[in-house]
Amino acid sequence: MSPGLTPAQRHELVSSQQVSSNCVIKREEEKCMEMMASDDPGNDPEFGCPWMWDNLTCWQPARIGEVVEVKCPELFSQFMSEEDYELGTVSRNCTMFGWSETFPHYIDACLYEETGSNHTDTYYASVKALYTVGYSTSLVSLTMAMVILCRFRKLHCTRNFIHMNLFVSFILRAISVFIKDGVLYAKEDSEHCFIHTVECRAVMIFFHYCVLSNYFWLFIEGLYLFTLLVETFFPEKRYFYWYIIIGWGTPTVCVTIWAVLRLHFDDVGCWDMNDNAAIWWVIKGPVLASIMINFVLFVGIIIILVQKLQSPDIGGNESSIYLRLARSTLLLIPLFGIHYTVFAFSPENVSKKERLVFELGLGSFQGFVVAVLYCFLNGEVQSEIKRKWRSWTVNRYFAVDLKHRHPSLASSGVNGGTQLSILSKSSSQIRMSSLQAETPAT
């Protein structure tokens, strides 16, 4: 597993990497072959047993009579708890006839009856199905929300423009996950472990850019709301350009630096494995920083809301105040991505399966929740949709009415709106004529 993964990126990377266990074996075999090539004591008479790769573990050369003990292969870390994996070991004895069989056997030392390959494969298949449904649901709902916010001009304001950029970042993130899974894990085998194409690496660059952009727009949502609450005079339009630069420009810089460093210092495979922790911090650092700052902003906003709700200018008893505060807090959690802080700074190997499900369940459906709360259930959006619906219904009614009462207008090919305007003008002229007729001559 890649070291130092960020909370949200872990569920995309780890769940996909562990779809096929062959990748882990191929990677270990590659490392073993590199060590064999750099250190070959085959001609040294002191070593009775040479290097050996047994398709699971790399065994270093040993002298006759020596017992070599190694940890359980990394492959089994997927099936074991962290404590059991650290304690599990297997051994081989170097005899005059060569290496002995492993003792205890891999299955006895590294697996237990209640855990097994089939159970684990089913678990990760379920996890993949979960985030596929989550991202698909988010993609559809966010696309509908974007159409609504773009369609109605009365909804065009700085606040909704920021929401729209956040929606776009969620859409790109979902698309990048589907593209990555389609390119790297279309086949349930180990072929993708050694893909070195430019297209494959471009997919990984695009994937990291989309995830980073999503985190930064979550950060901008928090920053915008906090600034709106603390500043009396807030030049929204001027700040909005800086938000665009931060939201889309900063991820571009980070991903570009990461790609250059990978190309020069860790140009291995498709860049989907992050064994070099120092280079990975170029991606991980900004993500953790945005999560931490957003959490601080979240706490600050809650404090401001408490102060405002307790103000004597705001009516309501104490229970209604706390009810409004709870509602405001719940609405801010998905918008700020506060749920990412649960596992953001915990050790990598703590509750791996629980954290994977937690982050997938909330992470993949986060876009759907945000679209529902900040578009579909938004009072301003609902009012505008109702207004447009009433306008359309009225126009349709008059168009049908005109068709029956004025067939000549209907047959002329004029649309309902034009017919309505013609009728209005005719009615006005008739009223003016009648008024002139009723006015006595002077």
Side-chain angles (χ1 to χ4, degrees):
M1 186 179 65
S2 302
L5 293 177
T6 56
Q9 287 169 320
R10 185 185 297 108
H11 69 80
E12 285 109 357
L13 292 173
V14 175
S15 59
S16 298
Q17 288 169 1
Q18 294 181 334
V19 169
S20 174
S21 300
N22 290 334
C23 261
V24 178
I25 299 175
K26 290 291 185 182
R27 185 177 60 184
E28 292 299 311
E29 180 182 8
E30 192 176 53
K31 290 180 180 178
C32 185
M33 296 304 162
E34 289 177 359
M35 289 189 291
M36 289 183 185
S38 60
D39 180 25
D40 185 10
N43 298 326
D44 194 333
E46 294 185 6
F47 293 97
C49 299
W51 285 89
M52 183 178 71
W53 167 254
D54 65 357
N55 294 325
L56 286 175
T57 303
C58 189
W59 297 90
Q60 298 183 7
R63 297 176 178 84
I64 295 177
E66 185 178 355
V67 177
V68 179
E69 185 180 68
V70 297
K71 289 176 57 176
C72 286
E74 184 182 349
L75 170 68
F76 292 99
S77 65
Q78 304 175 23
F79 315 135
M80 306 167 63
S81 66
E82 181 63 21
E83 295 78 12
D84 293 334
Y85 177 68
E86 291 295 334
L87 295 175
T89 59
V90 291
S91 304
R92 284 184 187 270
N93 187 16
C94 180
T95 68
M96 60 184 303
F97 301 105
W99 288 106
S100 68
E101 294 295 326
T102 56
F103 59 92
H105 195 272
Y106 283 118
I107 295 179
D108 298 328
C110 304
L111 284 179
Y112 296 91
E113 292 183 1
E114 63 269 18
T115 59
S117 176
N118 292 334
H119 173 74
T120 304
D121 290 343
T122 303
Y123 170 78
Y124 285 114
S126 302
V127 166
K128 185 177 182 182
L130 174 64
Y131 77 70
T132 300
V133 172
Y135 281 122
S136 300
T137 306
S138 296
L139 187 60
V140 173
S141 58
L142 288 165
T143 303
M144 293 173 60
M146 281 294 298
V147 171
I148 292 173
L149 293 180
C150 292
R151 175 66 180 81
F152 302 122
R153 288 191 176 183
K154 285 193 174 182
L155 299 176
H156 292 181
C157 61
T158 302
R159 171 173 49 84
N160 285 335
F161 285 151
I162 293 176
H163 287 343
M164 289 164 68
N165 279 274
L166 178 65
F167 292 171
V168 171
S169 71
F170 273 116
I171 291 173
L172 290 176
R173 178 171 177 169
I175 292 174
S176 68
V177 170
F178 293 141
I179 293 176
K180 177 178 65 66
D181 285 354
V183 172
L184 267 69
Y185 310 104
K187 298 180 180 180
E188 299 293 329
D189 54 30
S190 59
E191 290 181 3
H192 71 272
C193 300
F194 300 101
I195 298 177
H196 299 273
T197 62
V198 176
E199 293 80 4
C200 178
R201 293 171 181 176
V203 167
M204 293 307 303
I205 292 174
F206 176 68
F207 168 72
H208 288 308
Y209 173 77
C210 294
V211 174
L212 261 178
S213 299
N214 185 230
Y215 275 103
F216 272 93
W217 277 105
L218 287 171
F219 161 68
I220 288 171
E221 286 279 4
L223 182 63
Y224 171 76
L225 183 56
F226 183 79
T227 308
L228 203 62
L229 290 173
V230 299
E231 286 195 14
T232 306
F233 301 101
F234 181 38
E236 294 186 359
K237 290 185 178 180
R238 192 201 321 168
Y239 278 40
F240 181 70
Y241 296 113
W242 285 105
Y243 294 152
I244 294 292
I245 294 173
I246 295 173
W248 300 114
T250 307
T252 303
V253 174
C254 295
V255 172
T256 301
I257 294 174
W258 174 79
V260 171
L261 292 176
R262 284 299 300 254
L263 184 63
H264 288 86
F265 302 105
D266 192 20
D267 190 15
V268 178
C270 188
W271 296 359
D272 58 323
M273 311 293 286
N274 298 284
D275 294 323
N276 192 321
I279 296 178
W280 182 235
W281 267 98
V282 177
I283 300 291
K284 178 185 177 182
V287 170
L288 291 181
S290 68
I291 292 174
M292 183 174 62
I293 296 174
N294 242 18
F295 182 75
V296 174
L297 293 174
F298 174 76
V299 173
I301 290 173
I302 295 301
I303 294 174
I304 295 174
L305 288 177
V306 170
Q307 294 173 348
K308 288 183 177 295
L309 289 174
Q310 290 179 344
S311 172
D313 298 333
I314 300 180
N317 54 26
E318 187 175 353
S319 61
S320 65
I321 290 176
Y322 286 115
L323 183 62
R324 278 182 285 181
L325 177 61
R327 182 174 176 272
S328 302
T329 304
L330 291 175
L331 288 175
L332 290 176
I333 287 176
L335 185 65
F336 283 20
I338 299 302
H339 57 279
Y340 290 133
T341 59
V342 175
F343 290 109
F345 303 100
S346 61
E348 287 298 317
N349 294 317
V350 173
S351 305
K352 287 186 290 187
K353 289 188 175 182
E354 291 77 7
R355 130 182 359 207
L356 190 61
V357 172
F358 178 82
E359 290 169 357
L360 279 170
L362 290 178
S364 62
F365 285 95
Q366 185 184 2
F368 167 73
V369 174
V370 168
V372 170
L373 293 179
Y374 293 93
C375 182
F376 303 138
L377 297 182
N378 183 278
E380 186 182 1
V381 173
Q382 290 180 348
S383 298
E384 185 64 16
I385 292 176
K386 289 177 182 177
R387 189 184 70 82
K388 287 290 185 181
W389 174 257
R390 285 194 298 267
S391 175
W392 180 82
T393 305
V394 170
N395 287 337
R396 182 177 174 83
Y397 169 78
F398 278 107
V400 173
D401 189 60
L402 282 171
K403 183 177 180 180
H404 292 290
R405 296 190 181 187
H406 300 275
S408 59
L409 289 176
S411 61
S412 64
V414 199
N415 59 30
T418 307
Q419 293 173 10
L420 184 61
S421 61
I422 293 174
L423 181 62
S424 300
K425 290 179 181 178
S426 302
S427 302
S428 300
Q429 293 174 357
I430 293 172
R431 283 197 300 269
M432 289 296 296
S433 301
S434 60
L435 284 173
Q436 291 175 359
E438 292 175 2
T439 304
T442 57

